[in-house]
């Protein structure tokens, strides 16, 4: 299978290449794609070297699948051009997520809605992905009314420049800044720009994407998203109000059986998920499972995942795997 990776030299693009290799995706020809200035650069994949090409060159090669991680403007311009040649695009940007004509997919939750006619498939926001993987089986059992989520997000979610800023600050070096404030020994309660209602775009993404992926606009979601000086994973404190009551042991059992979820919930021995544990893993980890004693039918959870893997690269590759397994490509 001829596979293009658009944005192959970036943080997420590099991770997509790693995940494709690790999961032994059936790539017969790799087409690494990046900007004009990276053209000709060599990428290693499965022991072979591939030269980076431009987007126009990649379109002409007509890959079966193109995994995009190059930003919204690139996706808006070039995803339809790939689709016109018959390529199926799985896009990591926000460009197509809320387009009513495009599917927004987390394989463990809603891959069954995909058909052979879908040419541009949206990959959700990293913080949304790890949350809905946990929400879905609980919604099926108890019916969710409301979700209150606060996130603690890794600097890797911003990109290479943010990682450099954190490392520079820790080393006492003046360098290029990704954030308007210092991030080391600090917490920044802003991810993306603010919109008119006082929320940030990141918060609104979590709200709107959750409803779309879960296929239920009746679920009320409110979010506060925060950047913290951590690399390796996003963490989320999630408060869920259900229509029906639950048993905590049953909740743990349901989550343990959910594909892609690992329960780490042993407070007596101080066992709970942390970004250090989720780093380089594809699973979503959940712990601190407890009843909210201030309100009926309400549960508290702590959810952690590697945002570059399950939050981006792995989810995109899993979508591609589903397409192959179900002969949709």
């Amino acid at each position: 299978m001829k596979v293009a990776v658009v944005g192959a030299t970036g943080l997420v693009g590099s991770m997509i290449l790693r995940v494709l290799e690790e999961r032994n995706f059936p790539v017969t020809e790799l087409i690494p794609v990046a900007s004009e200035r990276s053209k000709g650069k060599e990428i290693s994949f499965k022991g072979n070297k591939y030269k980076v090409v431009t987007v126009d060159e990649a379109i002409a090669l007509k890959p079966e699948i193109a995994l995009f991680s190059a930003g919204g403007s690139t996706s808006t311009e070039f995803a339809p051009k790939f689709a016109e040649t018959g390529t199926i695009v799985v896009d990591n940007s926000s460009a197509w997520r809320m387009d009513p004509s495009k599917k927004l997919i987390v394989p463990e939750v809603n891959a069954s809605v995909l058909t052979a006619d879908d040419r541009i498939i949206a990959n959700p926001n990293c913080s949304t992905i790890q949350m809905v993987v946990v929400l879905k089986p609980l919604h099926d059992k108890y019916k969710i009314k409301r979700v209150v989520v606060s996130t603690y997000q890794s600097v890797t979610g911003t990109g290479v420049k943010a990682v450099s800023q954190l490392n520079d600050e820790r080393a006492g070096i003046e360098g290029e800044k990704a954030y308007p404030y210092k991030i080391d020994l600090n917490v920044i309660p802003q991810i993306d720009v603010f919109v008119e209602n006082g929320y940030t775009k990141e918060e609104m993404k979590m709200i709107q994407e959750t409803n779309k992926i879960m296929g239920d606009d009746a679920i009320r979601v409110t979010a506060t998203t925060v950047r913290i000086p951590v690399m390796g994973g996003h963490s989320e404190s999630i408060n869920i109000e259900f229509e029906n009551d639950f048993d905590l042991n049953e909740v743990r059992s349901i989550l343990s059986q959910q594909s892609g979820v690992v329960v780490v919930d042993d407070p007596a021995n101080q066992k709970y998920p942390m970004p250090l544990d989720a780093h380089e893993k594809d699973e979503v980890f959940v712990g601190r499972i407890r009843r909210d004693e201030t309100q009926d039918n309400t549960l508290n959870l702590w959810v952690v995942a590697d945002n570059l893997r399950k939050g981006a690269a792995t989810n995109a590759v899993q979508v591609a795997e589903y397409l192959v397994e179900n002969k949709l490509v």
Side-chain angles (χ1 to χ4, degrees):
M1 185 167 293
K2 201 185 287 187
V3 178
V5 176
V6 181
T9 57
L11 264 185
V12 175
S14 301
M15 186 61 76
I16 287 173
L17 292 170
R18 276 184 56 193
V19 173
L20 286 168
E21 189 165 342
E22 288 170 10
R23 295 173 76 93
N24 206 27
F25 190 81
V27 180
T28 52
E29 183 183 340
L30 179 73
I31 306 168
V33 187
S35 62
E36 193 73 47
R37 68 178 180 273
S38 295
K39 183 180 176 179
K41 181 179 176 182
E42 284 195 335
I43 295 278
S44 292
F45 181 77
K46 287 193 171 180
N48 296 313
K49 300 279 190 187
Y50 295 87
K51 279 196 162 55
V52 170
V53 300
T54 65
V55 182
D56 288 325
E57 289 171 319
I59 292 167
L61 291 168
K62 296 187 175 179
E64 279 84 10
I65 291 176
L67 302 172
F68 266 65
S69 187
S73 59
T74 300
S75 296
T76 302
E77 182 178 357
F78 292 109
K81 293 180 179 178
F82 272 98
E84 281 165 20
T85 70
T87 300
I88 297 179
V89 173
V90 183
D91 179 42
N92 260 297
S93 81
S94 60
W96 306 100
R97 289 175 187 158
M98 296 314 297
D99 184 324
S101 69
K102 304 293 185 289
K103 311 281 175 62
L104 184 63
I105 301 297
V106 177
E108 297 91 339
V109 178
N110 66 336
S112 61
V113 303
L114 290 171
T115 71
D117 296 327
D118 293 309
R119 292 288 128 188
I120 299 176
I121 301 164
N123 213 42
N125 187 42
C126 48
S127 48
T128 307
I129 289 173
Q130 67 186 70
M131 181 168 75
V132 296
V133 170
V134 172
L135 293 185
K136 178 64 166 74
L138 299 177
H139 183 54
D140 289 345
K141 179 68 177 178
Y142 307 116
K143 195 155 178 56
I144 295 171
K145 289 173 65 177
R146 182 170 186 255
V147 176
V148 181
V149 56
S150 298
T151 73
Y152 307 73
Q153 293 181 225
S154 162
V155 295
T156 55
T158 305
V160 174
K161 191 164 42 163
V163 173
S164 297
Q165 178 179 338
L166 177 58
N167 286 332
D168 286 346
E169 287 171 356
R170 287 184 174 169
I173 299 167
E174 276 298 320
E176 196 178 12
K177 301 243 184 292
Y179 305 117
Y181 302 103
K182 185 181 176 187
I183 185 62
D184 189 33
L185 299 175
N186 195 24
V187 164
I188 302 174
Q190 175 189 353
I191 298 179
D192 213 326
V193 298
F194 286 99
V195 294
E196 284 184 7
N197 63 2
Y199 285 72
T200 64
K201 267 192 175 179
E202 180 86 356
E203 289 157 357
M204 294 309 299
K205 284 177 196 173
M206 290 195 76
I207 293 164
Q208 294 161 354
E209 291 177 22
T210 298
N211 290 137
K212 183 172 180 178
I213 297 162
M214 300 283 283
D216 191 341
D217 288 339
I219 299 172
R220 293 175 297 155
V221 183
T222 186
T224 302
T225 58
V226 179
R227 191 71 67 191
I228 64 171
V230 160
M231 286 181 271
H234 290 350
S235 304
E236 298 174 349
S237 171
I238 309 175
N239 179 269
I240 312 163
E241 181 186 358
F242 299 105
E243 281 193 9
N244 303 301
D245 200 8
F246 55 84
D247 174 78
L248 282 175
N249 287 327
E250 186 178 48
V251 166
R252 291 185 185 95
S253 175
I254 289 168
L255 292 173
S256 296
Q257 292 168 44
Q258 167 72 334
S259 175
V261 169
V262 175
V263 174
V264 183
D265 188 48
D266 183 7
N269 291 299
Q270 299 178 44
K271 300 287 187 189
Y272 32 70
M274 294 179 291
L276 277 174
D277 306 317
H279 185 52
E280 299 287 351
K281 307 272 191 359
D282 287 330
E283 296 82 11
V284 175
F285 297 83
V286 59
R288 298 298 317 279
I289 300 168
R290 64 206 189 278
R291 191 175 286 276
D292 179 345
E293 296 183 344
T294 68
Q295 183 164 269
D296 291 342
N297 305 346
T298 303
L299 181 72
N300 284 311
L301 300 173
W302 177 253
V303 175
V304 181
D306 185 318
N307 54 292
L308 291 183
R309 291 187 69 103
K310 183 53 184 168
T314 302
N315 198 79
V317 173
Q318 286 175 316
V319 171
E321 288 172 343
Y322 182 89
L323 295 171
V324 172
E325 286 162 13
N326 291 275
K327 298 182 170 53
L328 298 177
V329 60

